[in-house]
Amino acid sequence: MSDPIGAIYEAFATISDSSNSSQEGAAYQVILDGTKGDEKQKQLAAQFIPKFFHVFPELNETALNATLDLCEDVNPIIRLNAITGFQVLCKNSPSLIPRIADVLGQLLSVEEKKEQAAVNKVLGSLFDIDAKGAFNGLVDQIKAAEAADVNLAGIGMKFFQAQLQSKQAVIKKDPELQQVLVDAIVKVLTAEPRVSSANFKKFMHAMNRLPPAFAKDNDAFKATQASVLSLQANLDKAFDATDEDFASNFVTCCNLGKDKSAFIEYFLEKILPVASSVPEASLLSVMRAVADAFRNCTASSAAAALPKIYAMTKTVVPNKDEEKARASDEKTNFALAEACLYAVHQLASKDSTAAQKVLGIFVPSGQPSDFSSEQKVARADCIERLTLLQEGAKSHKKEISTALGELNKSISSKDTSAEDKETLILKRKVMVGASAAASTVLTLSEGLTKQIPVYGGAQTNVSWRGSPKANKPQQQNNNKGNNKQQQKGSQKKGGQQQQKGSQKKGGQQQKKGSQKKGGQQQKGNNPKSSNKKGSNKKGNNNNNNNNNNNNNNNNNNNNNNNNNNKNGNGKGSNKRRAGGAIPGAKKGSNKKAKPNNNQQKSKPGNQKVGKYFDGQPS
């Protein structure tokens, strides 16, 4: 045919109007052949192929390959037409969405802005048509890109995370989609070769945010997660102390897991025995991860782990003899000491009985065998190590503080180049972290040296976790009786009592809506207005009656004071009330009663204020 463009238009009309399937098939082949023609033919083919793709299933593979060829054409307009055509194709043939999502995932790294926008738009539309298929296809593409193009894998992961966020409502309502996502992620994470550590974290975070992770009956999800983490961390293999990636994978998986029992067991059985051969940086990261894992362990696990962890702590925190035997250049690693002490605190808070035995803590129970000689030696050794550690931590903090001062001057100096400033800022960050570790060491060691040790809570501020809210330490023995109870609406201090709606001070009482002073009663009137028109004698009579009542009250108070003097020093009996005179006493006659030598003086705040001693034995 001399006019290929006209032939394509004619083929389009034939397919649209004809009911003859044989003619339609031949016409569709004409359109497919257009992908090998000139630019105009290719543009028309890119537009027409998707419209009739579903009509000719026997030509689907040929049509799809032809469209993919157009996506790689040198002409950007043709590429753009081919990309946008995938949206029409998938609407009519949704079964191809996983495959098309994979294809479009490969195009996410295109550089031309219009093409980028088209790829993102079309790929996003596939999630609206069939989210299950689109997620499956994209995840497969990310996995495939890991080995060939790390940058493309990263772009694909970002798109995957964005779709998870935008489709939250859909995912929440569709349990089948939730399971599809879990299965797709597990498939990628368990396949060989393994995904990068960065993408492993991202996939696990995505899985941990899915609804099954928060379901009450999620044993199956937990088992799946534990299986993936165990495989990634190589818990079925011996620990390779020389392999930094091995330690890094262990830390990553331990931090991501909800059930950390397998990691705790692996650490105690396979890492701790070879701890001395593990590089210091790797051992520190592992120890921090395990210390955090101990926050949620059971009491029985804590009792089993504490002796081993404390034994390791002693290798990091020397006593005086071990300190002397050290090489001159060997110094205490306060960051590692922080992690070890934090682990000890977590375990001790779970099982205080085990802590008493390991740390040599004396808890009297009235039995002669309470405090053995071995326990005494263990406690003395513990105190010695921690005291020496505290002295070193204080000295270390002072050194860092001095160095930071000089460092800040260099950073602020105009003579320091921008490149040098960046280096110095990074150095300052490390030094600040070291100072924070030393501060935590002081807090944790002081808690363990108390007569009744104070164990830090799970949210104790440690240097490797930013600045979480610090909980108040929990004492080993919760003696509720040691804390004074503050009663609602009242406060006792130094022999004073303030009651709701009233205040007693210096023998005077002020009642709501009234004030007594000098035998006069004021009720809604200003004293200055008593001589004004409208005042009467009845008010004066009331005042006289009040004067008599006050005199009687004063006499009663004097009698009470006399009784108190005769009966000795009861609680608050002859004590001067803070801020006021003794009730009923005259000015200038406030003499303190001599205390009874057989009785201990009452301390302010420990008296039963407001109840006078009645002469009866308590």
Side-chain angles (χ1 to χ4, degrees):
M1 186 176 291
S2 59
D3 184 12
I5 301 297
I8 293 175
Y9 276 117
E10 185 178 340
F12 178 85
T14 299
I15 298 171
S16 300
D17 302 333
S18 177
S19 58
N20 190 326
S21 59
S22 61
Q23 290 182 0
E24 290 176 0
Y28 193 60
Q29 186 63 54
V30 172
I31 295 174
L32 293 176
D33 292 340
T35 59
K36 300 175 183 178
D38 59 19
E39 291 185 355
K40 183 63 175 177
Q41 289 175 271
K42 289 178 181 179
Q43 289 183 34
L44 290 175
Q47 296 176 48
F48 296 160
I49 288 174
K51 291 184 179 181
F52 303 116
F53 183 89
H54 63 288
V55 179
F56 307 100
E58 70 280 3
L59 294 174
N60 277 177
E61 197 65 28
T62 303
L64 188 58
N65 289 332
T67 306
L68 293 176
D69 289 339
L70 294 177
C71 290
E72 297 176 357
D73 196 86
V74 294
N75 189 327
I77 297 177
I78 295 173
R79 295 198 302 267
L80 197 61
N81 287 336
I83 291 169
T84 54
F86 282 126
Q87 185 173 0
V88 178
L89 188 151
C90 288
K91 281 183 179 179
N92 297 324
S93 304
S95 62
L96 286 174
I97 284 180
R99 187 172 177 183
I100 302 304
D102 189 328
V103 170
L104 291 171
Q106 298 175 44
L107 298 176
L108 284 170
S109 60
V110 293
E111 296 179 358
E112 218 287 320
K113 291 185 178 180
K114 288 185 179 179
E115 287 182 56
Q116 283 181 4
V119 170
N120 281 275
K121 180 180 179 181
V122 175
L123 183 54
S125 70
L126 302 189
F127 288 86
D128 296 328
I129 301 170
D130 178 15
K132 301 180 186 70
F135 274 120
N136 266 320
L138 183 59
V139 168
D140 286 343
Q141 168 51 33
I142 295 170
K143 171 61 179 172
E146 280 278 340
D149 189 345
V150 176
N151 179 57
L152 177 59
I155 296 172
M157 177 58 74
K158 287 182 180 178
F159 195 91
F160 172 76
Q161 292 174 315
Q163 289 301 315
L164 280 178
Q165 183 67 27
S166 65
K167 302 298 179 190
Q168 270 188 340
V170 176
I171 294 171
K172 189 175 181 180
K173 296 177 181 178
D174 190 346
E176 186 179 347
L177 175 57
Q178 297 166 16
Q179 192 58 48
V180 165
L181 283 166
V182 171
D183 292 342
I185 293 172
V186 170
K187 176 185 173 183
V188 170
L189 297 183
T190 56
E192 294 289 350
R194 305 282 175 79
V195 298
S196 66
S197 178
N199 278 343
F200 179 85
K201 290 180 183 178
K202 291 173 182 177
F203 272 126
M204 286 303 302
H205 280 306
M207 192 166 80
N208 287 340
R209 287 196 292 268
L210 294 173
F214 304 98
K216 292 182 180 179
D217 300 327
N218 63 346
D219 291 340
F221 177 86
K222 287 181 179 179
T224 301
Q225 184 201 58
S227 176
V228 171
L229 292 173
S230 177
L231 184 65
Q232 180 73 11
N234 296 311
L235 296 187
D236 58 333
K237 300 177 182 178
F239 182 75
D240 187 352
T242 61
D243 188 351
E244 292 183 5
D245 289 338
F246 202 115
S248 177
N249 279 337
F250 176 88
V251 171
T252 297
C253 296
C254 182
N255 289 336
L256 289 173
K258 292 184 179 296
D259 183 0
K260 304 179 188 291
S261 56
F263 295 93
I264 292 175
E265 182 181 355
Y266 186 88
F267 173 79
L268 295 174
E269 299 299 328
K270 296 186 178 181
I271 299 181
L272 206 54
V274 297
S276 59
S277 61
V278 180
E280 206 168 58
S282 296
L283 182 60
L284 175 60
S285 61
V286 168
M287 191 64 222
R288 284 174 169 176
V290 173
D292 280 335
F294 284 140
R295 291 183 296 172
N296 299 316
C297 74
T298 62
S300 59
S301 297
L306 185 56
K308 296 179 180 180
I309 295 299
Y310 183 64
M312 179 186 173
T313 303
K314 291 198 292 184
T315 65
V316 181
V317 182
N319 58 25
K320 290 182 179 179
D321 293 337
E322 292 166 352
E323 179 75 14
K324 291 178 182 178
R326 274 183 169 185
S328 58
D329 59 342
E330 189 177 359
K331 296 182 179 180
T332 299
N333 186 334
F334 289 100
L336 187 56
E338 175 196 28
C340 291
L341 288 176
Y342 182 70
V344 169
H345 271 260
Q346 300 314 309
L347 296 172
S349 67
K350 299 292 187 301
D351 192 329
S352 59
T353 303
Q356 294 167 15
K357 184 178 180 180
V358 172
L359 304 176
I361 300 167
F362 174 56
V363 179
S365 63
Q367 299 300 322
S369 59
D370 278 347
F371 199 43
S372 65
S373 58
E374 292 180 0
Q375 197 174 12
K376 186 176 181 180
V377 171
R379 189 58 179 162
D381 179 71
C382 177
I383 297 296
E384 180 181 315
R385 291 176 187 275
L386 295 177
T387 302
L388 191 63
L389 180 67
Q390 290 173 29
E391 293 172 358
K394 291 176 182 177
S395 176
H396 188 53
K397 278 178 62 67
K398 288 182 180 179
E399 292 174 1
I400 294 175
S401 178
T402 303
L404 278 174
E406 296 298 323
L407 192 65
N408 287 329
K409 289 180 182 178
S410 299
I411 293 173
S412 303
S413 174
K414 296 180 180 179
D415 298 330
T416 306
S417 65
E419 184 178 352
D420 289 340
K421 281 185 178 181
E422 289 182 5
T423 304
L424 293 175
I425 289 172
L426 290 175
K427 186 177 180 181
R428 180 173 63 183
K429 184 177 180 180
V430 173
M431 293 173 68
V432 169
S435 179
S439 297
T440 309
V441 163
L442 286 172
T443 301
L444 296 175
S445 57
E446 287 171 1
L448 294 178
T449 55
K450 293 180 180 294
Q451 186 174 1
I452 299 178
V454 178
Y455 304 129
Q459 297 301 318
T460 299
N461 189 7
V462 287
S463 63
W464 66 85
R465 271 208 311 270
S467 300
K469 294 180 180 179
N471 287 349
K472 292 183 178 180
Q474 300 172 346
Q475 275 199 349
Q476 175 189 359
N477 297 325
N478 296 324
N479 298 324
K480 295 182 180 180
N482 291 339
N483 297 325
K484 296 179 182 179
Q485 186 177 6
Q486 294 182 348
Q487 296 180 350
K488 192 175 182 180
S490 66
Q491 179 183 13
K492 296 181 179 182
K493 185 177 180 182
Q496 295 179 339
Q497 182 183 26
Q498 295 178 343
Q499 295 180 343
K500 189 175 181 181
S502 65
Q503 180 181 16
K504 293 182 178 180
K505 187 174 181 182
Q508 297 174 346
Q509 184 179 22
Q510 296 176 341
K511 293 185 178 180
K512 188 175 181 181
S514 66
Q515 181 181 13
K516 292 182 179 181
K517 188 173 181 182
Q520 296 176 346
Q521 183 180 19
Q522 298 171 348
K523 186 175 182 182
N525 294 324
N526 190 320
K528 293 180 181 180
S529 63
S530 59
N531 294 328
K532 291 182 181 180
K533 188 177 181 181
S535 62
N536 52 40
K537 292 183 180 180
K538 189 175 182 179
N540 293 331
N541 292 333
N542 287 336
N543 289 335
N544 290 332
N545 291 334
N546 287 331
N547 286 335
N548 292 331
N549 290 334
N550 286 332
N551 290 332
N552 291 333
N553 288 333
N554 289 335
N555 291 332
N556 290 334
N557 288 334
N558 288 330
N559 292 334
N560 285 333
N561 287 333
N562 291 332
N563 288 333
N564 288 334
N565 290 332
K566 289 178 182 180
N567 292 322
N569 291 331
K571 290 185 179 180
S573 59
N574 223 8
K575 290 286 183 182
R576 180 194 299 261
R577 293 193 178 193
I582 299 174
K586 294 181 180 180
K587 187 174 182 181
S589 63
N590 294 334
K591 295 183 179 181
K592 295 183 180 179
K594 294 181 180 181
N596 190 333
N597 293 331
N598 295 328
Q599 277 190 315
Q600 191 174 1
K601 292 183 179 181
S602 299
K603 295 181 180 179
N606 292 334
Q607 305 162 356
K608 293 183 179 179
V609 183
K611 292 184 180 180
Y612 293 101
F613 184 66
D614 58 1
Q616 300 298 325
S618 57

